[in-house]
C-alpha cells in the first residue's frame, strides 16, 4: 500500500499530508478498486483533506473501477459542502459511471425527500434527462419514487 493511503487511513494531520505529497507521493495513486485519496475523502466526507488534495493537483474527475467520480460519492451521500467544493473546482456534473448513472442520478436515488444536492447539481448544469445504460433518466427515476416527492426538485 502506498504511503499516501496509509496517511489517509491513519488520519495523518494535513501538514504531514502536504509534506508527503511535496516529497513526491502520487496525489492520484489508486488502490485495488482504482480509488484515489480524493475518492476516499469523498466517501468519508473529509472536506479538509479534499481541499489539500485539490490544492496539490488531484484529478477531480478521476473514476474508480465502478466509474464513480468523487462527485458521484458526494452526491449519493448528500455531502452538500463536499459537492460544492468539487463543482467549484470544475468537477464534471454529468460524468457517467459504468451503468451510465450521473451524480444527479445518484442524488435522486438517495434523496429520501431531500433536494439540496439535486438543486445544486441542476443549477450547475446537470442534465435531468440524460439516460443511463438502461434508458432511465434522473427525472424518470424521480417520478418512480413513491415514498418521497423527489420529482418536485427536478421540475
Amino acid at each position: 500500500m502506498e504511503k499516501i493511503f496509509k496517511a489517509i487511513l491513519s488520519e495523518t494531520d494535513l501538514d504531514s499530508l502536504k509534506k508527503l505529497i511535496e516529497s513526491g507521493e502520487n496525489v492520484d495513486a489508486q488502490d485495488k478498486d482504482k480509488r484515489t485519496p480524493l475518492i476516499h475523502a469523498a466517501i468519508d466526507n473529509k472536506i479538509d483533506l479534499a481541499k489539500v488534495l485539490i490544492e496539490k493537483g488531484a484529478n477531480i474527475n478521476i473514476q474508480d473501477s465502478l466509474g464513480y467520480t468523487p462527485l458521484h460519492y458526494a452526491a449519493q451521500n448528500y455531502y452538500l459542502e463536499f459537492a460544492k467544493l468539487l463543482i467549484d473546482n470544475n468537477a464534471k456534473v454529468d460524468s457517467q459511471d459504468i451503468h451510465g448513472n450521473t451524480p444527479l442520478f445518484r442524488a435522486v436515488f438517495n434523496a429520501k425527500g431531500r433536494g439540496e444536492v439535486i438543486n445544486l447539481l441542476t443549477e450547475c448544469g446537470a442534465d435531468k434527462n440524460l439516460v443511463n445504460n438502461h434508458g432511465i433518466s434522473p427525472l424518470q427515476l424521480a417520478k418512480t419514487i413513491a415514498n418521497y416527492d423527489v420529482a418536485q426538485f427536478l421540475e
Side-chain angles (χ1 to χ4, degrees):
M1 182 183 291
E2 296 197 38
K3 289 179 186 177
I4 196 160
F5 289 110
K6 288 180 183 174
I8 290 167
L9 295 174
S10 67
E11 306 213 11
T12 299
D13 67 271
L14 298 178
D15 287 333
S16 295
L17 181 64
K18 286 179 187 178
K19 289 177 185 170
L20 187 62
I21 295 168
E22 288 166 1
S23 73
E25 192 68 23
N26 182 2
V27 73
D28 287 324
Q30 294 180 307
D31 65 15
K32 64 180 176 57
D33 296 314
K34 297 179 75 177
R35 292 181 178 153
T36 64
L38 184 57
I39 290 174
H40 282 283
I43 291 168
D44 296 330
N45 198 26
K46 294 181 177 178
I47 199 160
D48 290 336
L49 175 61
K51 288 176 182 177
V52 170
L53 294 167
I54 292 167
E55 172 190 312
K56 296 298 181 184
N59 181 345
I60 206 109
N61 293 304
I62 200 159
Q63 294 178 291
D64 66 13
S65 61
L66 298 173
Y68 280 36
T69 64
L71 187 55
H72 279 89
Y73 287 107
Q76 86 172 9
N77 292 312
Y78 264 74
Y79 298 150
L80 181 62
E81 292 304 313
F82 205 111
K84 283 181 185 177
L85 172 69
L86 295 169
I87 290 169
D88 288 347
N89 284 278
N90 302 312
K92 295 177 186 174
V93 294
D94 282 329
S95 290
Q96 292 179 287
D97 65 21
I98 62 172
H99 302 289
N101 297 324
T102 62
L104 180 59
F105 190 96
R106 290 277 151 222
V108 167
F109 188 81
N110 293 287
K112 298 179 185 170
R114 301 169 290 182
E116 304 86 6
V117 173
I118 294 170
N119 290 335
L120 172 68
L121 291 166
T122 56
E123 288 168 6
C124 294
D127 185 351
K128 66 183 178 183
N129 296 304
L130 183 61
V131 297
N132 65 13
N133 299 351
H134 304 284
I136 307 295
S137 71
L139 180 58
Q140 290 168 312
L141 173 65
K143 290 178 179 179
T144 67
I145 298 173
N147 53 342
Y148 298 105
D149 181 12
V150 178
Q152 69 176 318
F153 303 116
L154 294 170
E155 296 172 346

